[in-house]
């Protein structure tokens, strides 16, 4: 296992990922290592395989070939491909957080219940979960909005609820697919800053699909996909301490 300059193995290490849908090759031999505490932007044209890659790394949809190892501090390495469905679902709930463009929040529930749900499915009792959810929401500037249903919140506020939900479980890796895609640029920028603060700011990793170069520019590292292959991998000039180019 390759190690970064701090001596830790990558939190996620993917090798030879391949995924086809019928005659379409969505991933065509992707190798990617992600360091703990790093923010990584995945860019590329529409249809280049970004979402497929994110779903593979997060154990949502397995690739046809390749391997993905998860190395969390203080835990034994896990081969995500080798897990049975139930164990993989559990791993996702406990170790990963998700912020997608929209659609992951449950409209029938309040902001607080949406966040608490992430804890309750991991076995945290309801009362404790609600308390921790309220704290997480307040941390993100949503105090007083705990009881609102999702439809009663603005787009930016909804994404903050999603961020609260992704971080309340203590998950060390957060995946985001176009998290600012449905927001105006000012709100999008604020949400992005919040997302970075809650992830890399807390020593966690952020893996984010975006088509927006301004969003990508805020990340430690940017990779480009084209036709299911990684065609470039570059650290941002200001931040090479998290490992930088890994080839
Ligand atoms: P991106 O997120 O970069 O736009 P995707 O990963 O969603 O790209 O898709 C990569 C390619 O795989 C595209 O050609 C897309 O049409 C195809 N694809 C993705 N998911 C499916 C699916 N469930 N069924 C069939 N084709 C799919
Ligand atoms: Mg996509």
């Amino acid at each position: 296992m390759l190690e970064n300059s701090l001596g830790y193995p990558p939190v996620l290490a993917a090798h030879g990922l391949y995924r086809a849908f019928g005659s379409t090759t969505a991933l065509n031999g992707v190798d990617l290592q992600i360091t703990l505490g790093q923010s990584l932007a995945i860019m590329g044209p529409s249809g280049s395989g970004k979402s497929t890659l994110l779903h593979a790394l997060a154990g949502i949809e397995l690739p046809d070939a390749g391997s993905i190892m998860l190395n969390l501090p203080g835990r034994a390495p896990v081969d995500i491909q080798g897990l049975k469905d139930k164990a993989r679902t559990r791993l996702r709930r406990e170790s990963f957080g998700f912020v997608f463009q929209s659609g992951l929040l449950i409209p029938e529930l309040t902001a607080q219940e949406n966040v608490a749900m992430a804890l309750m499915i991991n076995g945290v009792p309801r009362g404790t979960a609600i308390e921790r959810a309220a704290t997480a929401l307040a941390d993100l500037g949503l105090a007083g909005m705990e009881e609102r249903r999702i439809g009663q919140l603005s787009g930016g506020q909804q994404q903050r609820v999603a961020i609260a939900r992704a971080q309340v479980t203590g998950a060390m890796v957060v995946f985001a697919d176009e998290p600012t895609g449905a927001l105006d640029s000012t709100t999008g920028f604020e949400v992005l800053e919040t997302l970075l603060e809650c992830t890399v700011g807390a020593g966690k990793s952020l893996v984010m699909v975006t088509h927006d170069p301004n969003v990508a520019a805020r990340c430690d590292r940017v990779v480009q996909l084209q036709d299911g292959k990684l065609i470039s991998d570059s650290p941002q000039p200001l931040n090479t301490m998290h490992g930088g180019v890994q080839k």
Side-chain angles (χ1 to χ4, degrees):
M1 186 68 62
L2 290 176
E3 297 188 346
N4 72 2
S5 54
L6 299 173
Y8 294 114
V11 68
L12 276 173
H15 290 289
L17 300 187
Y18 180 90
R19 176 79 155 118
F21 298 101
S23 60
T24 304
T25 304
L27 294 179
N28 196 0
V30 172
D31 293 326
L32 184 62
Q33 303 199 346
I34 297 158
T35 307
L36 197 61
Q38 180 179 63
S39 54
L40 170 74
I42 301 173
M43 298 193 76
S46 179
S48 57
K50 303 183 295 296
S51 296
T52 306
L53 176 58
L54 194 85
H55 294 164
L57 293 171
I60 295 172
E61 279 207 64
L62 293 180
D64 302 324
S67 70
I68 302 159
M69 295 297 297
L70 174 70
N71 296 289
L72 290 170
R75 303 253 205 109
V78 177
D79 171 6
I80 294 183
Q81 291 274 85
L83 295 176
K84 297 216 165 81
D85 278 0
K86 225 173 169 177
R88 198 152 37 83
T89 300
R90 184 163 162 209
L91 177 92
R92 267 202 315 271
R93 288 173 174 172
E94 292 179 353
S95 303
F96 296 153
F98 297 94
V99 181
F100 287 170
Q101 185 167 333
S102 60
L104 265 193
L105 297 170
I106 304 168
E108 289 80 11
L109 299 183
T110 65
Q112 185 166 254
E113 288 166 341
N114 266 280
V115 177
M117 187 66 81
L119 291 166
M120 285 157 64
I121 59 177
N122 286 338
V124 176
R126 183 182 167 86
T128 311
I130 289 284
E131 255 172 53
R132 283 173 58 188
T135 306
L137 287 169
D139 285 348
L140 297 186
L142 294 171
M145 301 190 189
E146 299 85 352
E147 301 295 332
R148 291 206 197 171
R149 288 182 204 288
I150 299 308
Q152 298 171 316
L153 296 167
S154 71
Q157 289 165 343
Q158 289 180 23
Q159 285 305 66
R160 280 173 201 277
V161 175
I163 294 170
R165 205 178 86 141
Q167 62 107 13
V168 75
T169 58
M172 292 306 285
V173 184
V174 173
F175 294 94
D177 197 345
E178 299 280 6
T180 62
L183 306 174
D184 66 77
S185 59
T186 307
T187 309
F189 192 73
E190 288 167 6
V191 164
L192 174 65
E193 293 306 313
T194 304
L195 183 57
L196 287 168
E197 212 176 292
C198 289
T199 53
V200 289
K204 304 174 179 186
S205 300
L206 174 66
V207 182
M208 175 168 59
V209 165
T210 182
H211 67 264
D212 184 341
N214 294 320
V215 170
R218 290 288 292 116
C219 291
D220 299 322
R221 179 175 163 213
V222 183
V223 297
Q224 294 273 354
L225 266 181
Q226 190 176 302
D227 298 329
K229 289 188 174 169
L230 281 185
I231 56 162
S232 77
D233 183 340
S234 58
Q236 298 289 340
L238 277 179
N239 200 342
T240 51
M241 62 174 281
H242 294 309
V245 180
Q246 305 187 9
K247 287 243 167 93

